[in-house]
Amino acid sequence: MTHDPDGDPAAFDPTDLDAVDAWLDDPVVSALHEDLGRQFRALPPEQQLAELVPELEKAQARYDELASALAEAPVEDPRRFLLIAMGDLVEKFRTRINELGGSA
């Protein structure tokens, strides 16, 4: 399956894992993410911190909510892969905030 960047955005189905993979692997989407990341990292540290800290708090809350939901789930529950990815994201937020001189 391929992603059509000129297609109707309303037709995108985030529950279709093949469509999501195709979207994430699309070179235009990847280039856009890279450009946005460069633009954000070019902002002054104070401005980055002002945006990163609330996002860390939201990401941590979502992680905690999923971890709580999975506390009684079987070990082979596929949502555990999502929990691991979310944990990695939280750690990336913390690392970047600490690099900028903040405290996370």
Side-chain angles (χ1 to χ4, degrees):
M1 167 170 245
T2 60
H3 168 68
D4 178 10
D6 298 321
D8 180 11
F12 179 73
D13 179 8
T15 63
D16 179 351
L17 297 181
D18 289 333
V20 171
D21 282 341
W23 182 79
L24 290 172
D25 291 337
D26 185 274
V28 173
V29 172
S30 295
L32 176 61
H33 287 167
E34 290 174 19
D35 288 346
L36 291 172
R38 270 191 298 279
Q39 288 175 11
F40 183 77
R41 289 187 300 275
L43 295 173
E46 302 79 30
Q47 204 171 347
Q48 289 182 53
L49 284 170
E51 293 189 35
L52 285 172
V53 170
E55 289 303 316
L56 168 61
E57 292 168 357
K58 286 187 227 172
Q60 184 67 59
R62 287 189 301 264
Y63 175 86
D64 292 344
E65 182 179 339
L66 182 58
S68 177
L70 290 175
E72 303 290 325
V75 173
E76 51 288 326
D77 190 314
R79 295 176 296 171
R80 293 194 185 278
F81 291 111
L82 177 58
L83 185 66
I84 292 167
M86 291 170 72
D88 291 344
L89 179 63
V90 167
E91 285 308 309
K92 287 178 183 177
F93 274 121
R94 290 186 195 288
T95 299
R96 184 63 182 150
I97 288 169
N98 290 333
E99 288 172 352
L100 293 169
S103 177

